[in-house]
């Protein structure tokens, strides 16, 4: 059976290669579709799009356009053409539901997952992803070499504060190798191996390493920790200011992890471009039922300054998946996960992370405990939505070793979360297209349907401005001009 599968994969890869070669230099005319592009939401109308190689070369609004001689014609009658969606917060190197040690032990299963993972993003229309912590350039390059994959941008290796989050979760003896792009803290000199010299690990040199590694953004953190680790060191405003200055000099987007009022206040005051999480911790105000004035004032600043806001509501829902038995029976999962992996996740071994979350609590108690953080998160999202803040769509897939954050599906669930919390369908659509593209400075390439842009497009049965279910009505995906039917992106039965 394994031999047959290998032959099948080889033939599929050969077919894709031949297809790519055959289409080089040809044109595709997508016509008779409703054009839904975020820069022209006041003009949802019939039209046509001409693709040549990897680019959009012409957009015709109305019924007057004619296909060039020799162009392949795609009739999208009754359907809606949108720009490809962008998920600006992913972690491609992680396997949902597995620790790094388990993934290393179960190499075949992990390899099967990684082979499907790029296709799972495409299955839900995500033609561009941004990895905020690309610790392995070799792995990112492997994803980019897959026969079918989204466009991948990244922040390079995360710029972490010495012995702070997330490096604190690595063993002390390997921590500084695993998180080699760190900021030296003189106050911790006795806790940093002597071979690392302070002058080599300044904020400016950390940002320079990201730039040299072709990152488009710098990922930083303000996180005191949780669980048994809750007094982790964090950078000072002065150090963060140096990071901000270096990122500006190198034209990199400054992204800061922070899910608390304290963390987001720190990042906003320091000039962050993107806040990488929603605010589900309010600190001393956690018991408040309504948004406190201090939080409203901070959110007003976020909205007024157009700081990118990644609500990442699925972070908490992804943990809840272990306590909601129906999750592993979701009809989409067999299309997105290899059969062996889905079966393993349902075994006691595959449920290992549940114990780490719950310890000795009952399922009902854990779900009850999540109600307040989720409520706080929804209140923040609703307030920012009313202010028309700069939401940038990101899922944090996977946010932890949970199996509740499966590529592609996690995005669709995040969209439902955001819509239920208060984002209009138009705000949601812009967050996943033009807002992401502009905020991460890739709008010259993607985010709209315009001549000159990369031909990353999605054909849907329904309009994303009419029904949230449109994001599960994808029919066809184009990535850099290559057309792929959605059904062919699912795991083979």
């Amino acid at each position: 059976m394994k031999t047959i599968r290998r032959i099948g994969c080889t033939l599929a890869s050969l077919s894709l290669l031949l297809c790519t070669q055959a289409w080089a230099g040809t044109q595709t005319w997508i016509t008779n579709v409703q054009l839904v592009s975020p820069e022209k939401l006041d003009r949802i109308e019939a039209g046509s799009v001409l693709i040549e190689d990897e680019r959009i070369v012409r957009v015709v609004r109305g019924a007057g356009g004619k296909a060039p001689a020799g162009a392949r014609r795609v009739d999208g009658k009754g359907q809606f053409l949108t720009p490809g969606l962008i998920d600006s917060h992913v972690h491609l190197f992680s396997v949902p539901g597995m620790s790094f040690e388990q993934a290393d032990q179960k190499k075949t299963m992990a390899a099967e997952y990684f082979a499907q993972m790029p296709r799972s993003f495409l299955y839900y229309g995500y033609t561009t992803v941004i990895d905020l912590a690309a610790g392995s350039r070799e792995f990112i390059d492997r994803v980019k070499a897959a026969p079918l994959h989204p466009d991948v941008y990244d922040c390079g290796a995360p710029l972490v504060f010495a012995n702070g989050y997330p490096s604190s979760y690595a063993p002390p003896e390997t921590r500084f190798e695993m998180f080699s792009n760190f900021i030296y803290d003189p106050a911790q000199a006795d806790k940093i191996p002597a071979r690392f010299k302070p002058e080599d690990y300044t904020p400016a040199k950390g940002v320079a390493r990201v730039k040299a590694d072709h990152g488009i953004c710098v990922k930083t953190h303000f996180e005191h920790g949780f669980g048994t680790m809750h007094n982790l060191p964090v950078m000072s405003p002065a150090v963060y200011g140096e990071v901000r200055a270096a990122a500006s000099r190198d034209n990199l987007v400054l992204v800061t992890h922070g899910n608390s009022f304290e963390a987001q206040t720190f990042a906003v005051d320091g000039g962050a471009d993107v806040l990488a999480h929603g605010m589900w911790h309010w600190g001393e105000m956690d018991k408040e039922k309504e948004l406190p004035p201090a939080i409203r004032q901070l959110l007003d600043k976020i909205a007024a300054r157009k700081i990118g806001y990644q609500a990442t509501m699925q972070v908490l829902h992804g943990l809840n998946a272990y306590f909601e038995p129906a999750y592993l029976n979701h009809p989409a999962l067999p299309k997105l996960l290899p059969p062996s992996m889905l079966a393993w996740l349902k075994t006691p071994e595959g449920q290992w992370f549940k114990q780490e979350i719950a310890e000795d609590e009952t399922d009902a108690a854990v779900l009850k405990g999540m109600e307040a953080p989720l409520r706080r998160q929804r209140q923040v999202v609703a307030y920012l939505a009313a202010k028309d803040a700069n939401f940038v769509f990101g899922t944090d897939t996977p946010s932890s070793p949970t199996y509740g954050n499966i590529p592609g599906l996690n995005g669709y669930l995040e969209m439902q979360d955001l819509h239920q919390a208060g984002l209009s369908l138009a705000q949601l659509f812009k967050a996943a297209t033009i807002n992401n593209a502009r905020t991460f400075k890739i709008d010259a390439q993607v985010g709209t349907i315009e001549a000159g842009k990369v031909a990353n497009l999605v054909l849907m049965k329904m309009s994303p401005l009419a029904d949230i279910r449109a994001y599960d009505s994808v029919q066809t995906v184009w990535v850099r001009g290559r057309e792929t039917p959605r059904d062919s992106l699912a795991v083979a039965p």
Side-chain angles (χ1 to χ4, degrees):
M1 182 62 73
K2 290 182 179 178
T3 301
I4 292 173
R5 286 180 182 169
R6 288 195 192 99
I7 292 172
C9 289
T10 301
L11 291 175
S13 299
L14 178 60
S15 175
L16 284 168
L17 176 61
L18 293 175
C19 180
T20 301
Q21 292 174 338
W23 282 106
T26 64
Q27 295 181 322
T28 299
W29 177 251
I30 307 170
T31 190
N32 203 21
V33 293
Q34 293 291 313
L35 299 176
V36 186
S37 192
E39 86 287 7
K40 291 184 179 293
L41 292 186
D42 58 333
R43 292 189 63 187
I44 308 303
E45 58 189 328
S48 304
V49 173
L50 180 64
I51 299 171
E52 184 171 330
D53 296 334
E54 296 187 348
R55 298 274 170 177
I56 298 169
V57 295
R58 182 155 46 113
V59 178
V60 178
R61 293 182 174 273
K66 293 185 178 180
R72 178 173 176 272
R73 187 177 188 274
V74 176
D75 190 337
K77 183 178 181 181
Q79 299 185 78
F80 299 83
L81 190 69
T82 77
L85 306 177
I86 304 168
D87 187 339
S88 61
H89 191 159
V90 304
H91 300 289
L92 300 177
F93 191 63
S94 300
V95 181
M98 286 187 179
S99 66
F100 287 116
E101 293 77 13
Q102 286 174 320
D104 190 55
Q105 293 164 5
K106 300 179 183 297
K107 287 184 170 62
T108 300
M109 189 183 297
E112 290 176 348
Y113 164 79
F114 285 130
Q116 172 61 31
M117 176 263 289
R119 305 167 69 93
S120 295
F121 280 112
L122 295 175
Y123 185 86
Y124 278 95
Y126 295 98
T127 59
T128 300
V129 297
I130 303 176
D131 193 318
L132 294 192
S136 170
R137 178 58 52 198
E138 184 271 338
F139 178 81
I140 294 293
D141 289 343
R142 269 193 290 156
V143 175
K144 291 180 179 180
L148 283 171
H149 61 87
D151 281 349
V152 179
Y153 296 89
D154 65 80
C155 291
L159 183 57
V160 302
F161 196 65
N163 293 308
Y165 180 88
S167 69
S168 55
Y169 288 87
E173 59 271 17
T174 59
R175 180 174 300 167
F176 292 94
E177 281 73 25
M178 293 178 64
F179 293 89
S180 58
N181 196 25
F182 70 92
I183 296 173
Y184 196 99
D185 179 18
Q188 300 185 67
D190 60 331
K191 297 178 182 178
I192 301 173
R195 64 183 177 278
F196 298 104
K197 305 303 180 186
E199 62 271 20
D200 295 330
Y201 293 91
T202 64
K205 289 196 174 179
V207 172
R209 278 189 280 270
V210 172
K211 182 71 172 181
D213 199 27
H214 307 292
I216 66 167
C217 42
V218 179
K219 174 69 177 297
T220 59
H221 310 80
F222 189 97
E223 176 66 73
H224 288 298
F226 35 83
T228 58
M229 295 187 185
H230 53 271
N231 289 309
L232 301 177
V234 295
M235 64 181 75
S236 67
V239 170
Y240 191 77
E242 292 183 53
V243 176
R244 172 69 277 176
S248 296
R249 284 195 299 270
D250 284 338
N251 195 33
L252 299 178
V253 177
L254 178 56
V255 181
T256 298
H257 161 107
N259 51 46
S260 68
F261 172 68
E262 180 191 12
Q264 296 196 3
T265 299
F266 175 89
V268 169
D269 289 347
D273 295 313
V274 175
L275 299 175
H277 288 292
M279 189 197 305
W280 52 83
H281 295 306
W282 294 359
E284 295 179 354
M285 298 174 282
D286 267 355
K287 293 183 179 180
E288 298 289 334
K289 299 300 182 184
E290 302 298 329
L291 274 175
I295 292 180
R296 290 172 181 263
Q297 291 170 11
L298 177 62
L299 298 179
D300 287 344
K301 290 180 184 178
I302 291 170
R305 297 177 188 178
K306 295 298 181 184
I307 297 170
Y309 204 83
Q310 296 178 336
T312 63
M313 299 185 76
Q314 275 299 116
V315 169
L316 298 183
H317 286 293
L319 297 175
N320 280 354
Y322 283 90
F323 311 97
E324 297 170 341
Y327 178 81
L328 285 180
N329 294 321
H330 194 292
L333 292 182
K335 301 175 182 178
L336 306 173
L337 293 176
S340 62
M341 181 174 174
L342 183 55
W344 180 77
L345 292 175
K346 296 179 180 181
T347 67
E349 184 186 12
Q351 297 279 313
W352 68 277
F353 192 55
K354 178 177 182 179
Q355 185 58 36
E356 295 207 5
I357 303 168
E359 295 181 346
D360 295 323
E361 293 185 85
T362 64
D363 290 6
V366 174
L367 291 172
K368 182 70 176 175
M370 284 289 193
E371 288 179 2
L374 283 167
R375 171 185 56 79
R376 292 192 288 266
Q377 192 178 32
R378 286 192 293 268
Q379 287 173 282
V380 167
V381 167
Y383 188 87
L384 288 173
K387 296 285 184 177
D388 199 24
N390 181 29
F391 283 93
V392 291
F393 185 83
T395 59
D396 196 7
T397 299
S399 60
S400 66
T402 177
Y403 57 52
N405 298 146
I406 302 303
L409 175 62
N410 204 42
Y412 181 51
L413 296 176
E414 177 81 17
M415 288 186 163
Q416 294 178 65
D417 296 336
L418 290 169
H419 187 44
Q420 291 169 5
L423 262 72
S424 70
L425 291 173
Q427 286 175 314
L428 187 57
F429 180 62
K430 291 172 70 174
T433 54
I434 196 168
N435 289 5
N436 256 336
R438 287 174 174 170
T439 301
F440 282 92
K441 302 179 182 180
I442 55 175
D443 52 312
Q445 304 297 320
V446 295
T448 59
I449 303 177
E450 296 180 272
K453 297 288 180 77
V454 171
N456 287 357
L457 301 166
V458 179
L459 189 64
M460 303 179 182
K461 284 184 179 179
M462 305 166 67
S463 170
L465 302 180
D467 198 313
I468 193 70
R469 293 174 299 170
Y471 295 102
D472 197 22
S473 73
V474 174
Q475 293 297 291
T476 308
V477 177
W478 283 266
V479 181
R480 294 191 169 267
R482 181 191 294 178
E483 175 185 347
T484 307
R486 186 193 202 193
D487 289 345
S488 69
L489 294 167
V491 173

